[in-house]
Amino acid sequence: MTGARTNTLASLRGSIERIEAQADASAPARVALGHAEADATLQGGLAPAAVHEVFAEGRQSAAATGFIAGLAGLVSLAGRVTARRPLVWIRQDFAEIESGALSMAGLAELGLDPRCVVTVCAADVDAALRTAADALVCDALGAVVLEVWGEARQFDLVASRKLTLAAQASGVTGLLLRVAAQPQPSTAETRWIVRAAHSPPASVGSAWGAPVFDAQLVRNRHGPVGRWIMEWKCDECLFAKPSAYPQPVAAAPAHRPHQASITGQQRRAG
Amino acid sequence: MKKEEPSIVVAKQNNALQIFALDDAAAHLGLSIGLPLANARAICPQLKVFDADEAADAKALNDIACWCDRFTPLVALDPPHGLFLDITGCAHLFGGEAALMQMICGSLSRQGFAVSAAIAGTSVCARTMTRHVSGHIVPDGGEAEAVKSLPVFALGADEAITRGLRRAGLKTIGDVASRARHEITARFGDGFTSLLEQALGQGDAPISPLKPLPDFIVEKRFAEPVATEVVISATLSRLAAMLVAAMDRQGKGARRLQAQFFRTDGAVRAIAVDTGQPVTRPEVIDRLFRERLDALSDPLDPGFGFDLIRLSASRVEIVVQQQRDLDANVHDNDELAALIDRIAARIGCKRVVVHLPQDTHIPERAVMTAPAQHRLAAAQAADWPEREESEPPLRPLRLFARPEPIKVIAEVPDGPPAWFQWRRASHTVVRVEGPERVAMEWWRSREEMLTRDYFRVEDETGLRFWLYRDGLYDREIAQREGEIVQPNWFVHGLFA
């Protein structure tokens, strides 16, 4: 009995592997994030032509936005030397009220190109989903970001499957930003939960440095999961391990208590 | 047959209810427009009285004008109850002028309107004819002869002018025309002279059509009204092919398309679609309309069916044929533009936007959003300020349209925040950088705006905020009030 079960399991596994090997043969190269450990876990990086989900708590929306903007930037640059492919950012009206509009000046500060971004303001989740499915079919795009705030019962397996099929057919990567929502069953390739992490100062002058994320990979269809602290390098447009203090730090005087006040870390610029 | 009760419509004029309109039965009793209601009741106690509703009258006239669109694209309103139809080059499509007039009058009468129509070489002449007799067709050049015997009120001039003419013994238009023009002008003004000349066919005033004349029109008439979705969409596809063929002969592509659905009961529904690039393929037109029809908030209601469906291109552009497949970007841009058109057709063109940098320091005005259909090329060529190498981000990734007020504790009033409360959650500041002082543009805003001191702040959980204090503490705030006031703090954005 046990042997029969093992055999059945083995044959099923084999057939799944064959199916996936066929899919992999035609699949485009993975997009490396730049973070060595994460790339190793993801077997080379983020899979394009698939759907990836990023979840965050309500107050972590900006961190999740930064993370997903980084992913979108990496994906839309992948395979292209000259210019980025356009990025379509679909958001629900409510998301803008709740966590602010995506600022193009902020996007430019992250090293991404605001010229490529087309924003679609959908009134509700249904319109947003429909627009996302439409956009994912268009193979001229680099990535499609769908931002939805809160729980949405429309995001069921059927909707998720539709997005995945569209992404596979066109080769466009779909990125779902779900703020203040609980993960539900879906056909996404990976699922992340993102929080903001402390950002040590990059130089002597500034109080804090580049965006740092606490990215937790909670689902990976083709591999293990993990949790890493990632820093977004604005200059190189890559994720990386957060650098330790690049500047030498003077030893604290032995005879004085450690100063924990904030005054030592502020910079007067005005 | 039962005799109809006379009915009138009254409106308040000069602080009294007066007759505004009346039917034939009331006119036979000797009532006339302008008679007070009390007098009318005295003459005929069983009068039916209705209140005038000028807005509804105007809407009815407008609806009739839309319905008349099926005969000619040039329809102009002549308030309060007239319509001009420019039927130049259209009459033969309906079997000649007489048949066309009969068709219009018959259709309107069947719907319960009292119609008086005339066809003439000039609009004023035709209008003058309708005031007296219906169904007259004035031959070309016969205008003066036709209006000669009509009374002067038919011209539709001011009450004062009509009365003056009558007092001068000029009872018919022919009488007035027989006088020298300068005499008439001296007494009644040159406005009346030109009106008279137009009525006599000696000059023409252009009519101002309700809708601009589309460049290309194709339409399909049905002997039997159609109501099913399948037939409607098939008709639209066929019309799209015809329209593209017509435009193609002149090397044009459509930027704005309109489909009009004429219902058998007279209602007309027009649906317009804009595109970012000139459209030259019928399947694209077909798809855009399908998206638009799917997304209508009040769906197309065929009622008893449509008897005419028309597709027109109201804005066209010359199409420049581009060479494909050498530059991948051109292809990509076409695809993107087509996608934007489709999404815009579905959810509205203002909801699909691109971003253009503006030359200002004020954060909320630094980026302008513009409809992607019109400004895609401008946005792709826009010149964004270069970011500084190896600097952390200085502007937040998410910006609130309306900065949200927060409670702040600072060590000194003009110092950086040490603790703040936002959306009922408290945050202790761990790292802070600032202030970055942003002065308002005094030459632009009318109301006085205060200088802002921006701080980049990280709290104990690693969340990063962009806070600002409204007003310079020692100069703008304290001085204004004359007593110690707490400065207002806001959170304006969130960093990644």
Side-chain angles (χ1 to χ4, degrees):
Chain A
M1 189 68 193
T2 334
R5 263 183 75 177
T6 324
N7 278 343
T8 321
L9 265 179
S11 67
L12 279 174
R13 281 205 183 107
S15 55
I16 288 174
E17 264 169 26
R18 271 197 304 282
I19 293 166
E20 285 180 347
Q22 277 175 355
D24 278 349
S26 60
R30 287 170 175 257
V31 182
L33 299 184
H35 190 279
E37 292 169 26
D39 280 343
T41 307
L42 289 169
Q43 295 161 4
L46 207 64
V51 174
H52 305 272
E53 292 177 336
V54 175
F55 284 82
E57 283 175 48
R59 59 208 193 100
Q60 304 279 2
S61 62
T65 311
F67 185 72
I68 217 162
L71 294 185
L74 286 174
V75 168
S76 50
L77 195 58
R80 298 289 288 265
V81 190
T82 48
R84 283 173 201 275
R85 282 173 295 178
L87 165 67
V88 173
W89 192 292
I90 303 157
R91 64 139 182 79
Q92 190 194 356
D93 281 348
F94 188 65
E96 183 168 317
I97 300 167
E98 198 58 43
S99 47
L102 181 73
S103 161
M104 289 303 135
L107 205 68
E109 292 277 348
L110 289 182
L112 304 173
D113 192 354
R115 283 173 290 208
C116 308
V117 180
V118 176
T119 308
V120 179
C121 319
D124 50 24
V125 180
D126 291 313
L129 258 178
R130 175 113 199 212
T131 311
D134 274 0
L136 275 173
V137 174
C138 179
D139 58 4
L141 302 181
V144 175
V145 179
L146 173 58
E147 177 185 353
V148 175
W149 209 97
E151 301 288 352
R153 58 170 177 75
Q154 290 93 333
F155 268 101
D156 52 8
L157 261 176
V158 178
S160 174
R161 182 92 186 123
K162 268 187 196 163
L163 294 183
T164 304
L165 284 176
Q168 277 173 353
S170 66
V172 180
T173 311
L175 299 164
L176 260 64
L177 176 54
R178 303 286 312 276
V179 181
Q182 286 300 316
Q184 285 166 337
S186 77
T187 58
E189 179 74 22
T190 61
R191 182 182 296 147
W192 301 78
I193 293 179
V194 175
R195 299 174 196 88
H198 280 293
S199 171
S203 58
V204 190
S206 63
W208 44 272
V212 180
F213 310 105
D214 172 2
Q216 187 181 2
L217 180 63
V218 291
R219 177 200 160 99
N220 182 5
R221 275 169 77 87
H222 298 108
V225 294
R227 182 172 183 172
W228 307 276
I229 301 288
M230 294 189 191
E231 178 180 332
W232 174 254
K233 298 276 189 195
C234 302
D235 296 332
E236 294 103 32
C237 286
L238 273 180
F239 289 100
K241 266 188 134 160
S243 47
Y245 286 86
Q247 304 293 330
V249 182
H255 60 282
R256 285 175 198 232
H258 177 64
Q259 268 201 329
S261 83
I262 56 162
T263 45
Q265 285 163 352
Q266 78 183 56
R267 179 173 75 162
R268 299 297 294 242
Chain B
M1 191 176 146
K2 194 183 144 208
K3 202 186 159 200
E4 272 185 42
E5 285 183 34
S7 47
I8 57 169
V9 176
V10 293
K12 198 161 192 177
Q13 277 164 355
N14 302 330
N15 236 0
L17 284 175
Q18 294 183 347
I19 297 182
F20 181 72
L22 70 175
D23 66 354
D24 284 343
H28 280 303
L29 288 170
L31 306 183
S32 62
I33 289 172
L35 194 73
L37 176 61
N39 298 15
R41 280 244 160 93
I43 294 170
C44 176
Q46 71 272 25
L47 265 182
K48 271 190 181 170
V49 181
F50 302 93
D51 282 329
D53 184 350
E54 288 184 36
D57 284 353
K59 188 177 175 302
L61 187 66
N62 212 22
D63 288 349
I64 297 174
C66 287
W67 175 81
C68 285
D69 220 22
R70 63 171 65 207
F71 301 111
T72 163
L74 291 171
V75 181
L77 292 180
D78 179 31
H81 31 242
L83 287 178
F84 291 129
L85 272 64
D86 187 341
I87 55 164
T88 314
C90 299
H92 71 277
L93 299 172
F94 302 91
E97 291 178 345
L100 173 61
M101 187 155 67
Q102 210 172 6
M103 189 188 294
I104 295 179
C105 292
S107 304
L108 286 172
S109 306
R110 271 202 299 282
Q111 297 197 40
F113 295 101
V115 201
S116 173
I119 296 177
T122 68
S123 54
V124 176
C125 178
R127 184 177 67 186
T128 310
M129 293 303 297
T130 61
R131 296 254 163 87
H132 196 71
V133 61
S134 177
H136 200 88
I137 299 176
V138 181
D140 196 21
E143 286 90 357
E145 192 61 35
V147 298
K148 205 171 68 178
S149 59
L150 300 187
V152 283
F153 85 86
L155 276 175
D158 272 358
E159 188 67 23
I161 293 176
T162 312
R163 208 183 307 126
L165 287 167
R166 221 179 285 134
R167 279 186 191 154
L170 303 171
K171 295 232 165 47
T172 64
I173 296 174
D175 292 344
V176 185
S178 65
R179 294 290 168 152
R181 291 286 186 277
H182 65 269
E183 290 175 21
I184 304 286
T185 309
R187 176 83 184 265
F188 300 106
D190 60 352
F192 178 71
T193 314
S194 57
L195 187 71
L196 180 67
E197 281 181 352
Q198 285 161 14
L200 295 171
Q202 292 162 3
D204 198 5
I207 62 170
S208 55
L210 271 182
K211 297 174 192 131
L213 187 63
D215 296 310
F216 295 91
I217 302 177
V218 290
E219 61 185 30
K220 173 79 187 153
R221 278 164 203 279
F222 301 98
E224 284 290 315
V226 296
T228 57
E229 210 170 292
V230 182
V231 182
I232 291 169
S233 63
T235 308
L236 272 180
S237 313
R238 211 160 49 235
L239 288 177
M242 285 160 65
L243 185 71
V244 165
M247 288 192 301
D248 197 38
R249 278 196 286 278
Q250 298 185 20
K252 300 272 176 69
R255 285 289 308 275
R256 189 185 168 82
L257 293 151
Q258 196 183 43
Q260 283 169 299
F261 300 90
F262 292 78
R263 234 160 66 173
T264 40
D265 61 356
V268 181
R269 182 80 187 269
I271 287 161
V273 170
D274 277 296
T275 65
Q277 287 186 327
V279 177
T280 53
R281 300 215 312 268
E283 58 270 21
V284 176
I285 298 179
D286 197 25
R287 177 147 187 207
L288 285 176
F289 272 107
R290 228 178 312 133
E291 297 272 355
R292 187 84 186 82
L293 289 174
D294 272 0
L296 285 178
S297 53
D298 54 335
L300 202 62
D301 175 18
F304 294 109
F306 301 112
D307 57 359
L308 170 62
I309 296 179
R310 172 183 291 172
L311 187 66
S312 52
S314 43
R315 204 167 74 216
V316 294
E317 264 180 19
I318 294 172
V319 182
V320 183
Q321 295 295 336
Q322 278 171 325
Q323 184 159 7
R324 301 297 164 107
D325 300 325
L326 280 180
D327 185 3
N329 273 333
V330 174
H331 174 69
D332 277 9
N333 263 345
D334 283 356
E335 295 259 310
L336 180 63
L339 173 70
I340 290 170
D341 284 345
R342 284 202 298 276
I343 300 175
R346 169 170 295 279
I347 66 173
C349 91
K350 283 185 185 151
R351 286 184 164 273
V352 189
V353 292
V354 288
H355 308 268
L356 298 163
Q358 300 293 300
D359 192 11
T360 172
H361 288 294
I362 301 179
E364 60 264 36
R365 295 186 195 151
V367 179
M368 186 180 78
T369 57
Q373 278 188 321
H374 309 305
R375 306 296 296 275
L376 183 64
Q380 284 178 339
D383 208 6
W384 288 82
E386 287 286 313
R387 68 175 295 273
E388 280 182 48
E389 288 280 311
S390 75
E391 275 282 319
L394 299 175
R395 289 285 176 269
L397 187 58
R398 305 207 71 124
L399 197 70
F400 289 105
R402 203 175 284 262
E404 301 194 357
I406 49 173
K407 275 189 211 160
V408 166
I409 295 174
E411 286 184 344
V412 283
D414 59 348
W419 175 93
F420 65 95
Q421 190 184 31
W422 175 53
R423 289 184 179 172
R424 292 181 292 174
S426 64
H427 305 267
T428 309
V429 174
V430 177
R431 295 193 178 91
V432 61
E433 181 176 311
E436 179 186 348
R437 187 158 291 172
V438 177
M440 294 296 117
E441 296 168 335
W442 51 265
W443 61 93
R444 271 201 195 153
S445 58
R446 292 232 183 88
E447 76 271 30
E448 191 187 354
M449 289 176 78
L450 300 175
T451 307
R452 299 172 184 172
D453 275 353
Y454 279 97
F455 293 89
R456 302 166 62 225
V457 161
E458 186 177 292
D459 81 348
E460 76 277 14
T461 56
L463 298 174
R464 290 173 277 271
F465 300 89
W466 208 36
L467 313 179
Y468 75 87
R469 186 184 54 232
D470 210 17
L472 301 176
Y473 180 72
D474 47 347
R475 278 178 267 164
E476 290 180 350
I477 301 177
Q479 271 182 15
R480 255 188 354 159
E481 301 292 333
E483 56 191 40
I484 295 173
V485 284
Q486 290 304 315
N488 292 321
W489 284 85
F490 297 92
V491 53
H492 199 174
L494 308 169
F495 286 94

